[in-house]
Amino acid sequence: MTKTRNNFNMWFPPFKSLSIFLFILILISVTHGIAQAPTVRFVDGEGETLAEVEFKLHQEIVYLPVETLKTAFDPEMTHEYHRPRKQLILKTKGKELRLRMGNTTVNIDSGKQTFTLPAPPLAIEGQPMLPIHFFRKILAHLDDVEVLYNPNLQRIRIMPKTAWALDVSDDTREWTIIIDPGHGGEGDLGCKSQNGLHEKDIVLAAAKEIKKLSEQHQLSIHLTRDQDTEKTLIQRVQTANREQGRLFLSLHCNASFSPNHKGMRLYINNPNGQPRFRTSEMPRFGKKRLNILNQANYLKQSKNFANVLQKELNFLAENPIVITEFPIITLSDVSMPAVLLELGYLSNIDDAKQLSNPDHISELAVAIIRAIQIYSASVNQPSKSNGFSERKPSDTN
Amino acid sequence: MNLLRKILHSRLFMVWGITLVVIIIGLAITLVLIAHSKRTRILDAPPKLPDTPNTTDILPPPEQVNIFLLNPTSLEITPVQVELRLYSEPTERLKQIVSALVQETLPNYRNPIPRGTLLNEAYIDSQKTAYLDFSHHLADGHIGGTTAELLTVSAILKTIFDAFPNEIIHVQILIDGKEKKTLAGHLNLSQPLRF
């Protein structure tokens, strides 16, 4: 018996220490889990945090408490919730909104405006909660704001519309922006996803969305194709040059041999990129170098435009967007600053799912329009600190 | 004299004479046809890869060569060592190495060359530019997308520049013997490329 107890005493202390260690480990992981509860972060136009709010998931839809409006949008906001009638009345920005739990209709100022949400507000654990769609769709109708949502990072950017329009001069309004939806027709489908999405259809939808949005922002957008038709590279370039475009944005969807490649990519035509051409010299006529106006003349401007696009689109991206330079056939003969934007990988399941979502396409369009506005405003106002003062074709390297 | 005249006018001489002429014409036609058929066969013959040099009786010793494939984890084009018996003549070596790249399938890597692609011919000019003539599968069988197109061309260029650091500076990709502006609508292939 004594021998057994001795044995136990000999073995117990290590077990005791181990148990305490495991208990502490479990406690840390549980508390860490609580601390890492899922949140939606609201940021302003500069990326500064306005509020960070815990959300609840219901049928894979993000729901936020009503008080979020107060912290992230309008500190003056008040609300009343009539539990028996399941009715929610919100007073914000001088407007009254009426919603009913389980009902997708949003009534503003006694029927002056009515919207239908994709998901209804719900009472979760006795508290009225608003679906994420409310923030994405309704806020812009309550105040002069644009709302961008990144579902990957659960981030919402709320920025005043006035911040956009402020710099838009008459010069910019006279600009024609060329949007080139890549591929098209039955002979050129582009790449495709596993579930049968075609690149030509996604980029056309995105181009049309940009055009629709541009009308609200007094921008003149011209599409190289507005239907599912096949266009040669020469036809696209001719259209862009004939319309005297000031910017050229070619829209594409990416593909890779690995399903792990994902995210957006930006490309600039550079004969000295990676890979590079044998020679990037201009053709000569006798001893004179022929200064043909093509994309090589607009390299610096194209880089500037790509940088602005990168900054604006990064908000919607999971990882920072990379800009790559190489000889691009689509852009080589365009006589204006030009960028090729790959909206995502159709060979990646997550990207393909996102690109089939009209909400995501419309958010991409908002970011692209904003980038065009920022770039054109900077070009027209070279005195600004971030201004790009080049309006004429310049350096070639 | 009379005997000679008799022989010349005899029916037997006529028959043998005509038979001889017919045999000669027949032989001539047969020779012409044989020569023509040989030439046609040479023209129609598919290119042999690798083109066996005269010294084929002795197999060259195996060498370690880097083939560049896509690593699906790092998402980079990375070198993979393979053992090949390479001839010493640069053009033959080029054909062997590019053919090995086109056909290579390794379990942990992705080959960014579309399936079914063949190297038709390869040639290195005096300016150290390698001309690679691939079958139409390289363009027609391509999955599209800028990344995929860059991966395909990068794998070819990196494999060549690694194996021929001094002999080749640029690479021009051809499809079925012709220049093609692009494989899938993005990368400009109208000029020889380098890194």
Side-chain angles (χ1 to χ4, degrees):
Chain A
M1 190 67 186
T2 318
K3 200 180 173 186
T4 317
R5 189 175 289 168
N6 283 346
N7 277 347
F8 181 78
N9 284 339
M10 195 174 75
W11 289 104
F12 184 70
F15 277 124
K16 194 178 169 186
S17 318
L18 192 71
S19 309
I20 292 166
F21 175 72
L22 282 172
F23 177 74
I24 292 167
L25 206 71
I26 291 164
L27 198 71
I28 289 169
S29 60
V30 167
T31 49
H32 183 74
I34 291 166
Q36 294 289 310
T39 58
V40 172
R41 193 150 69 94
F42 288 78
V43 295
D44 63 13
E46 301 303 315
E48 294 294 320
T49 304
L50 297 167
E52 192 149 3
V53 186
E54 280 182 31
F55 67 81
K56 299 229 181 293
L57 270 181
H58 179 79
Q59 292 178 346
E60 292 194 16
I61 294 167
V62 171
Y63 277 87
L64 293 159
V66 177
E67 288 76 16
T68 309
L69 280 170
K70 201 165 188 168
T71 50
F73 178 63
D74 177 18
E76 310 284 310
M77 190 278 291
T78 57
H79 77 278
E80 292 169 43
Y81 179 49
H82 300 280
R83 198 179 291 239
R85 279 189 279 166
K86 294 183 179 177
Q87 194 182 43
L88 178 69
I89 300 168
L90 301 167
K91 286 179 182 168
T92 175
K93 302 284 178 186
K95 292 182 171 113
E96 190 183 87
L97 287 80
R98 285 175 184 264
L99 300 99
R100 196 178 291 276
M101 299 299 112
N103 192 322
T104 54
T105 308
V106 180
N107 207 315
I108 301 176
D109 286 344
S110 308
K112 275 185 187 170
Q113 280 179 298
T114 307
F115 297 98
T116 306
L117 295 170
L122 291 175
I124 300 173
E125 294 166 8
Q127 293 299 312
M129 305 280 275
L130 298 168
I132 196 76
H133 311 95
F134 178 89
F135 297 86
R136 292 167 74 175
K137 303 262 180 197
I138 306 297
L139 297 194
H141 297 281
L142 303 177
D143 200 6
D144 275 350
V145 290
E146 289 286 356
V147 180
L148 279 179
Y149 173 56
N150 183 335
N152 295 319
L153 302 177
Q154 291 301 350
R155 209 185 294 163
I156 288 186
R157 182 157 79 171
I158 303 172
M159 60 206 157
K161 271 182 197 166
T162 46
W164 298 39
L166 200 66
D167 293 327
V168 180
S169 64
D170 289 341
D171 279 356
T172 308
R173 289 195 189 100
E174 286 167 14
W175 278 31
T176 300
I177 318 294
I178 309 295
I179 303 291
D180 171 44
H183 311 279
E186 290 308 307
D188 186 7
L189 309 175
C191 53
K192 62 179 179 185
S193 70
Q194 276 185 340
N195 58 353
L197 284 174
H198 286 125
E199 180 183 2
K200 60 164 188 167
D201 299 323
I202 293 166
V203 293
L204 182 60
K208 283 183 172 175
E209 188 66 28
I210 294 167
K211 177 141 174 89
K212 195 175 100 185
L213 198 61
S214 71
E215 283 152 17
Q216 294 170 25
H217 294 279
Q218 297 171 298
L219 274 173
S220 167
I221 299 262
H222 188 89
L223 306 185
T224 55
R225 69 177 176 96
D226 55 9
Q227 287 172 32
D228 184 18
T229 46
E230 202 165 341
K231 294 270 179 185
T232 63
L233 289 173
I234 296 167
Q235 283 173 324
R236 290 169 199 265
V237 171
Q238 280 174 344
T239 305
N241 292 341
R242 188 184 57 235
E243 294 293 326
Q244 296 184 307
R246 294 293 295 268
L247 272 179
F248 185 93
L249 179 64
S250 192
L251 299 177
H252 288 258
C253 292
N254 222 334
S256 172
F257 297 96
S258 165
N260 299 332
H261 264 124
K262 65 182 296 188
M264 283 180 268
R265 292 274 194 282
L266 285 159
Y267 297 97
I268 302 165
N269 176 67
N270 185 356
N272 291 317
Q274 290 291 346
R276 61 197 298 179
F277 275 165
R278 179 162 63 183
T279 172
S280 59
E281 274 188 15
M282 291 284 184
R284 287 174 181 276
F285 182 73
K287 285 183 181 176
K288 274 192 174 178
R289 204 179 75 161
L290 291 175
N291 193 22
I292 295 170
L293 277 184
N294 61 16
Q295 190 46 210
N297 301 85
Y298 294 93
L299 184 58
K300 193 177 171 187
Q301 292 94 322
S302 299
K303 279 183 188 177
N304 288 338
F305 181 40
N307 286 332
V308 178
L309 273 166
Q310 182 191 38
K311 195 182 166 200
E312 290 308 305
L313 289 166
N314 263 342
F315 178 79
L316 297 171
E318 205 170 326
N319 297 309
I321 299 167
V322 178
I323 302 173
T324 312
E325 297 176 28
F326 67 92
I328 303 175
I329 191 90
T330 327
L331 309 181
S332 60
D333 291 323
V334 177
S335 303
M336 64 201 78
V339 171
L340 189 150
L341 167 63
E342 294 278 4
L343 298 169
Y345 285 83
L346 287 183
S347 48
N348 177 274
I349 294 170
D350 294 337
D351 275 11
K353 195 178 163 190
Q354 253 193 348
L355 289 169
S356 62
N357 181 357
D359 283 342
H360 180 67
I361 296 292
S362 110
E363 271 151 10
L364 284 172
V366 170
I368 290 166
I369 286 285
R370 188 169 151 80
I372 292 169
Q373 294 271 37
I374 291 169
Y375 174 79
S376 56
S378 304
V379 171
N380 287 325
Q381 293 182 6
S383 59
K384 287 190 78 179
S385 58
N386 63 340
F388 309 120
S389 57
E390 66 285 353
R391 288 197 63 188
K392 288 174 184 173
S394 53
D395 52 331
T396 55
N397 54 28
Chain B
M1 203 60 182
N2 279 343
L3 184 70
L4 189 68
R5 200 172 288 158
K6 265 185 186 173
I7 289 167
L8 283 172
H9 284 98
S10 72
R11 187 176 283 178
L12 194 69
F13 179 79
M14 289 284 279
V15 169
W16 276 107
I18 290 165
T19 310
L20 202 66
V21 169
V22 167
I23 287 167
I24 289 166
I25 292 169
L27 271 172
I29 291 169
T30 312
L31 284 171
V32 168
L33 282 175
I34 287 167
H36 181 73
S37 74
K38 265 188 185 172
R39 217 172 74 186
T40 315
R41 227 178 298 151
I42 290 164
L43 286 174
D44 291 343
K48 285 186 287 178
L49 281 175
D51 210 346
T52 319
N54 296 331
T55 53
T56 50
D57 293 345
I58 307 158
L59 271 174
E63 283 180 51
Q64 301 289 334
V65 179
N66 282 331
I67 298 284
F68 284 73
L69 300 172
L70 174 66
N71 181 331
T73 313
S74 70
L75 301 178
E76 299 281 337
I77 293 287
T78 46
V80 181
Q81 254 190 8
V82 292
E83 205 171 71
L84 295 174
R85 290 180 181 276
L86 298 170
Y87 297 114
S88 56
E89 205 276 312
T91 308
E92 297 307 327
R93 285 174 78 88
L94 176 65
K95 287 178 191 175
Q96 284 180 289
I97 292 168
V98 178
S99 296
L101 165 70
V102 163
Q103 289 156 16
E104 192 61 70
T105 48
L106 286 168
N108 295 328
Y109 293 88
R110 303 280 168 108
N111 193 336
I113 312 294
R115 275 185 195 172
T117 302
L118 290 170
L119 179 70
N120 294 332
E121 196 49 86
Y123 169 73
I124 307 169
D125 75 2
S126 57
Q127 290 183 308
K128 298 187 177 181
T129 299
Y131 291 83
L132 301 175
D133 178 22
F134 290 98
S135 66
H136 66 94
H137 305 88
L138 187 67
D140 296 347
H142 204 277
I143 61 167
T146 310
T147 299
E149 209 174 339
L150 280 171
L151 289 172
T152 302
V153 174
S154 296
I156 296 168
L157 297 191
K158 284 184 175 176
T159 301
I160 292 173
F161 296 139
D162 186 74
F164 301 91
N166 302 315
E167 298 91 336
I168 297 170
I169 301 173
H170 303 100
V171 173
Q172 173 79 64
I173 292 171
L174 307 169
I175 304 292
D176 281 341
K178 289 174 189 162
E179 273 185 19
K180 196 164 165 71
K181 281 188 173 177
T182 180
L183 288 184
H186 313 93
L187 178 59
N188 193 338
L189 295 179
S190 61
Q191 284 192 37
L193 293 167
R194 70 182 172 101
F195 273 117

